[in-house]
Amino acid sequence: MEATHAQDHGHGHPTGLMRWITTTNHKDIGTLYLWFAFIMLLAGGCLALLIRAELFQPGMQVVTPEFFNQLTTLHGLIMVFGAIMPAMVGFANWQVPMMIGAPDMAFPRMNNWSFWLLPVAAIMLVSSFFVPGGASAGGWTMYPPLFLQGGISNDMTIFAVHILGISSIMGAINIVTTILNMRAPGMTMMKMPLFVWTWLITAYLLIAVMPVLAGTVTMLLTDRHFGTNFFNAAGGGDPVMFQHIFWFFGHPEVYIMILPAFGIVSQVIPAFARKPLFGYASMVYATGSIAILSFIVWAHHMFTTGMPTSAQLFFMYATMLIAVPTGVKVFNWVATMWRGSMTFETPMLFAIGFVCLFTIGGFTGLVLAITPVDIQLQDTYYVVAHFHYVLVSGSLYAIFAGVYFWLPKWTGRMYDEKLGKLHFWLSTIFFNILFFPMHFLGLAGMPRRIPDYALQFADFNALATIGAFGFGLSQLILLVVVLKCIKSGAKAADHTWEGADSLEWTHLSSPPPYHSFVTPPVVK
Amino acid sequence: MSDHQAGSYYLPEPSGWPIVGSAAVALLTSGLVMWSNHIASGGWVILAGLLVLFYMMFGWFGTVIAESESGKYDQQVDRSFRWGMSWFIFSEVMFFAAFFGALFYMRVLSVPWLGEGDTNAMLWEGFKATWPTAGPLGAENIGFGKEVAAGANQFSPMEALGIPAINTLILLTSGVTLTVAHWGLKKGNRGQLNLWLALTVLLGVVFLGLQAYEYHHAYTKMGLTLGAGAYGATFFMLTGFHGLHVTIGTIMLAVILVRCLKGHFKPESHFAFEAVSWYWHFVDVVWLGLFVFVYWL
Ligand code: HEM
Ligand SMILES: [Cu+2]
């Protein structure tokens, strides 16, 4: 070992706040990402509770209609870019180097910058509530011409998106490079844990589509201030063009949020079923084909915007096709559990909750993929139900499963199993009270993003609001669990879950050393 | 990784540069928000952001160069840089793809739609869908919220022959000169390296000068502005972002030139040189796309 590695054990490093600001360590940075995501989850959650409070009864009670629109817009942006995506990157930071037997990420300093750009963007977004005119109010999708109107906050949103994009691209380049170049001897591609595979493909998607988002919000900016006419028909442009470019980013984006979740669940289920993952290779190929197909389905978000019938048919069939690899995955998870010696600790509960509830979201996605049906359901609460089943009981549940699964490894301490289970059951019950009625609301025609509604929708809305507050409060249990675990959890074994077989369990202590593998392990 | 040496991957100490970079980005973006909304002193905030950004780049790249020159980077680190740069260039390709996509969408779809059927009959009767166009309501009079005077579709498009053709020649030549410089570096012929690299920088500067002249001409003599509808928007955004990339590339080449003059790089290891030349070739290829689809066809 060389002299340059004297610092490898963390001696003489800055402490206190400066440790976190200057850190180049993948574990520190992973922790930062996860805490940031949690804070954003609570912030976005508060906005959602305000939305639900207003919708508790018909009529206007709590907020003004203008403010309501700001709430839905910022709720979407904060949850997508502030909570789900950073949480997944946090997992990648902690887990990828450990799982492939690397000492750290490939570019540790850039890793730090990827994280420390996020607070800048978050402050930009949140402070936009306080500028004249309030925050952006045109929906998280930023459609023109509405988005071309409106005040200074729309520019703040545009630049926040730019910063988030730069952060994501740098993070993704780091992850791809780490996976391709830092694997331990013998860790061939097809031996990588599935979580690593899903992140490899996610990172590829990020590098491919975040620049496209940056490009199109730049066009919004120049249309707003510098006289261009990209989205103005009077100048030969077209507002619909924005939707095409946005959803060319947007659909891969939803897979960016779900593929790492697939990865986490594919680590958790085998560990608690005490069987190897069923159909590993098919999981890899399914992930790859989802990534490819996700580039050719974007216009399923635009069936009512207008396009030639042939295009509608193409996008309908392509969208349905993407459900095939997704189905392969669900099948493999179930087959992994089949005749396994299963136990149901909290990570497994969340993983099983994921499989059941995400699948409902997948099915409603298929319903929405049918063009004539979608023309009825577009912009109704049915869509809201769909994407919350895939994002909350999908991505977020996988994040919870991962947190409970790896918390003993990360902290060296056990979490409180009772509280964890309580967190799961309360979340799941309230989640369904919150979102299941939205299917009925949507089918009955209640539009989304509307602060007031007809009387006939009153009962289901009241129910959903009760579910929302229950779900929101249940998340505080997670905070308690994590704090308790760090402070006073019982000592965790190195190989906490005996069914788990990736390198971080078999080769590293709990908590792992500062640089996981200074000498790479040999993988057989 | 067969040639991986145990524990030799260079892991940097904690670093203050990234947070300086974040401060720069915070200043830069808030300055841009202020400036585009005509809030006084926005320009100064942008300037402050740029200064901090340059300070960060000097410091950060300086650190990397010092580490590289003191031999801290092994082959595996070198491979990381190669992967990293390749993926970065891929992200740049996708950024330009968004604007090329907008160009194709307008030319092939949205402009023809405006010239036919109900849209045409109900909104802009008499509008002929041709390319180049400033759209039904013409240059300068459109833009959100502006008063509209129809029929002012007056600007001349940029011809492909003339400056654009010369610039194509310049960029293609600069690709050759850069390669000759690279040969010099690999052979250990520092004279050849320095001369041809300097020539490449010079060609970059000439390209930018000609483009600046072209823009000035467009604005003052041809009525061709950012506000000139579909054509003006795509023309300036595509060539503008390309020009920005040429500027960045030229600066990077100049930095490499200074390093070469200082005796940096070895015949067998000089990734910074190669990274910049990859970038330069990428910018070159984008230009060919521009020349064909923006200027020529
Ligand atoms: C089986 C796979 C899926 C299919 C077939 C599918 C299909 C669809 C369709 C057709 C829509 C458009 C509905 C409309 O606006 O009328 C939609 C919306 C949406 N989907 Fe999915 N989806 C699938 C999986 C997912 C996943 C995995 C996620 C994210 C994790 C996701 C997130 C979303 C979001 C966020 C929207 C709404 C976007 C908006 O308008 O704000 N979907 N989906
Ligand atoms: Cu989609």
Side-chain angles (χ1 to χ4, degrees):
Chain A
M1 225 196 301
E2 288 173 20
T4 48
H5 282 269
Q7 84 276 21
D8 269 357
H9 310 286
H11 301 306
H13 280 178
T15 51
L17 186 62
M18 284 316 277
R19 163 182 172 195
W20 299 102
I21 289 181
T22 61
T23 180
T24 46
N25 179 273
H26 73 102
K27 302 190 182 78
D28 285 355
I29 296 171
T31 305
L32 286 169
Y33 265 109
L34 287 164
W35 276 112
F36 175 84
F38 189 67
I39 293 167
M40 286 291 114
L41 182 75
L42 295 185
C46 289
L47 305 186
L49 290 185
L50 274 172
I51 293 173
R52 282 318 317 174
E54 174 56 54
L55 293 174
F56 184 56
Q57 286 181 348
M60 300 302 302
Q61 287 92 17
V62 184
V63 296
T64 61
E66 298 77 31
F67 188 58
F68 185 90
N69 289 341
Q70 298 171 25
L71 290 175
T72 54
T73 305
L74 269 275
H75 166 70
L77 287 168
I78 287 178
M79 287 305 197
V80 168
F81 293 107
I84 301 289
M85 290 171 71
M88 294 302 185
V89 183
F91 278 105
N93 260 294
W94 259 103
Q95 290 306 126
V96 167
M98 295 205 286
M99 289 177 140
I100 61 173
D104 206 299
M105 297 288 275
F107 304 112
R109 273 181 295 236
M110 189 169 86
N111 202 13
N112 174 307
W113 203 24
S114 305
F115 172 77
W116 280 107
L117 282 173
L118 293 181
V120 177
I123 291 169
M124 188 90 115
L125 269 183
V126 173
S127 60
S128 73
F129 272 115
F130 306 103
V131 299
S136 288
W140 81 281
T141 50
M142 302 177 278
Y143 281 4
L146 194 55
F147 201 80
L148 300 179
Q149 310 167 20
I152 183 169
S153 61
N154 284 0
D155 301 311
M156 299 171 82
T157 302
I158 289 172
F159 283 110
V161 168
H162 273 133
I163 300 172
L164 293 161
I166 296 169
S167 158
S168 292
I169 291 169
M170 289 197 302
I173 290 176
N174 219 334
I175 292 168
V176 177
T177 306
T178 306
I179 297 174
L180 292 177
N181 193 35
M182 308 275 289
R183 279 171 289 126
M187 177 61 79
T188 57
M189 296 294 272
M190 290 310 271
K191 278 192 196 148
M192 297 192 312
L194 210 80
F195 177 74
V196 179
W197 258 113
T198 53
W199 244 115
L200 177 65
I201 291 168
T202 303
Y204 159 73
L205 287 177
L206 275 169
I207 303 172
V209 300
M210 290 312 284
V212 175
L213 176 68
T216 197
V217 298
T218 305
M219 295 178 209
L220 284 177
L221 183 78
T222 57
D223 267 20
R224 280 170 60 79
H225 294 292
F226 305 105
T228 60
N229 290 279
F230 285 107
F231 308 126
N232 181 359
D238 187 354
V240 175
M241 182 171 81
F242 177 85
Q243 300 187 20
H244 282 290
I245 309 179
F246 180 86
W247 287 114
F248 182 82
F249 146 81
H251 190 82
E253 167 67 18
V254 308
Y255 281 95
I256 287 164
M257 292 189 281
I258 203 67
L259 290 183
F262 289 171
I264 294 173
V265 169
S266 304
Q267 301 301 130
V268 171
I269 289 182
F272 293 94
R274 293 165 181 78
K275 275 174 65 194
L277 185 67
F278 182 90
Y280 171 88
S282 67
M283 285 299 226
V284 172
Y285 299 132
T287 314
S289 36
I290 289 176
I292 294 166
L293 286 174
S294 69
F295 284 104
I296 54 163
V297 299
W298 76 87
H300 64 217
H301 295 275
M302 304 168 55
F303 283 141
T304 57
T305 323
M307 76 186 99
T309 314
S310 50
Q312 293 193 328
L313 285 172
F314 171 81
F315 285 110
M316 175 167 92
Y317 290 127
T319 305
M320 292 182 159
L321 206 58
I322 212 167
V324 175
T326 314
V328 168
K329 283 177 171 288
V330 174
F331 177 83
N332 284 350
W333 291 319
V334 175
T336 306
M337 288 188 270
W338 178 253
R339 310 185 84 174
S341 28
M342 303 228 284
T343 51
F344 299 93
E345 287 86 348
T346 313
M348 185 62 162
L349 287 179
F350 273 108
I352 294 175
F354 172 98
V355 174
C356 299
L357 297 173
F358 169 81
T359 305
I360 296 180
F363 279 132
T364 53
L366 272 177
V367 172
L368 291 168
I370 306 165
T371 310
V373 177
D374 183 70
I375 288 171
Q376 296 299 310
L377 294 178
Q378 161 92 76
D379 269 338
T380 68
Y381 261 84
Y382 194 85
V383 178
V384 178
H386 158 66
F387 68 72
H388 284 93
Y389 267 81
V390 285
L391 278 171
V392 178
S393 58
S395 308
L396 190 62
Y397 265 38
I399 290 168
F400 290 160
V403 166
Y404 285 105
F405 187 55
W406 281 302
L407 209 51
K409 175 56 59 186
W410 296 341
T411 62
R413 292 167 183 279
M414 271 317 272
Y415 62 87
D416 185 327
E417 191 66 63
K418 274 216 185 77
L419 278 181
K421 286 191 168 136
L422 186 71
H423 176 215
F424 169 75
W425 285 110
L426 287 180
S427 293
T428 302
I429 291 166
F430 283 120
F431 169 83
N432 283 293
I433 297 177
L434 163 57
F435 290 112
F436 206 76
M438 291 188 186
H439 293 108
F440 306 129
L441 287 171
L443 289 168
M446 177 168 163
R448 67 191 276 210
R449 293 170 171 160
I450 291 288
D452 188 7
Y453 48 83
L455 277 179
Q456 83 221 48
F457 303 127
D459 292 349
F460 280 136
N461 270 298
L463 197 59
T465 298
I466 293 168
F469 279 85
F471 185 81
L473 291 176
S474 306
Q475 302 322 307
L476 297 178
I477 301 174
L478 177 63
L479 184 62
V480 173
V481 172
V482 173
L483 292 179
K484 242 185 97 178
C485 169
I486 297 173
K487 277 228 162 73
S488 58
K491 186 95 191 62
D494 291 349
H495 202 153
T496 318
W497 316 111
E498 82 279 5
D501 63 353
S502 43
L503 291 181
E504 82 275 27
W505 302 112
T506 54
H507 282 62
L508 294 175
S509 56
S510 302
Y514 191 68
H515 287 300
S516 318
F517 292 101
V518 177
T519 316
V522 176
V523 181
K524 282 183 258 358
Chain B
M1 309 281 96
S2 49
D3 51 345
H4 177 86
Q5 270 237 312
S8 64
Y9 196 90
Y10 178 70
L11 296 174
E13 293 278 330
S15 167
W17 293 117
I19 198 74
V20 177
S22 292
V25 168
L27 284 170
L28 199 58
T29 48
S30 24
L32 282 164
V33 168
M34 292 163 73
W35 179 66
S36 45
N37 286 282
H38 312 289
I39 297 174
S41 71
W44 292 107
V45 181
I46 295 177
L47 192 69
L50 283 175
L51 287 177
V52 180
L53 190 67
F54 284 130
Y55 169 67
M56 181 276 267
M57 298 217 294
F58 265 102
W60 192 331
F61 285 120
T63 313
V64 173
I65 290 168
E67 286 166 358
S68 165
E69 287 299 308
S70 60
K72 286 184 174 152
Y73 295 164
D74 64 358
Q75 294 237 315
Q76 198 187 3
V77 176
D78 191 72
R79 273 199 308 274
S80 282
F81 282 136
R82 281 166 201 278
W83 277 121
M85 190 67 194
S86 315
W87 286 103
F88 169 65
I89 289 179
F90 174 56
S91 78
E92 292 270 52
V93 169
M94 294 308 292
F95 182 76
F96 277 100
F99 289 91
F100 273 108
L103 172 67
F104 297 145
Y105 183 95
M106 287 178 175
R107 283 192 68 163
V108 179
L109 298 171
S110 70
V111 168
W113 283 334
L114 292 170
E116 68 189 30
D118 291 346
T119 316
N120 188 265
M122 286 163 69
L123 289 175
W124 288 297
E125 216 177 342
F127 171 68
K128 292 266 179 313
T130 52
W131 190 268
T133 180
L137 293 183
E140 281 308 315
N141 299 305
I142 43 186
F144 184 79
K146 285 205 185 152
E147 276 301 309
V148 166
N153 193 355
Q154 276 159 4
F155 70 91
S156 356
M158 198 57 78
E159 292 294 331
L161 291 175
I163 290 181
I166 296 172
N167 265 347
T168 309
L169 218 63
I170 289 177
L171 273 195
L172 288 178
T173 315
S174 75
V176 176
T177 54
L178 187 57
T179 307
V180 176
H182 194 190
W183 288 341
L185 175 53
K186 283 211 259 192
K187 282 186 305 196
N189 185 342
R190 306 294 293 202
Q192 177 180 345
L193 165 66
N194 294 340
L195 175 70
W196 290 86
L197 189 54
L199 218 61
T200 315
V201 176
L202 190 71
L203 287 170
V205 173
V206 173
F207 175 95
L208 287 170
L210 286 176
Q211 197 178 18
Y213 173 79
E214 182 196 74
Y215 273 23
H216 181 73
H217 189 72
Y219 260 79
T220 51
K221 302 269 161 46
M222 301 164 68
L224 175 55
T225 65
L226 257 182
Y231 181 79
T234 48
F235 175 83
F236 280 107
M237 293 300 276
L238 273 163
T239 58
F241 271 117
H242 177 265
L244 183 68
H245 282 73
V246 177
T247 313
I248 295 169
T250 309
I251 294 173
M252 295 199 301
L253 283 171
V255 171
I256 295 291
L257 178 62
V258 172
R259 290 187 62 188
C260 287
L261 292 172
K262 279 189 175 171
H264 287 192
F265 305 125
K266 293 190 209 68
E268 66 290 339
S269 90
H270 46 262
F271 179 65
F273 183 99
E274 285 173 287
V276 173
S277 68
W278 291 356
Y279 190 82
W280 193 253
H281 291 309
F282 151 72
V283 172
D284 213 354
V285 171
V286 173
W287 174 262
L288 292 182
L290 288 181
F291 185 68
V292 173
F293 293 110
V294 176
Y295 289 99
W296 186 7
L297 293 182

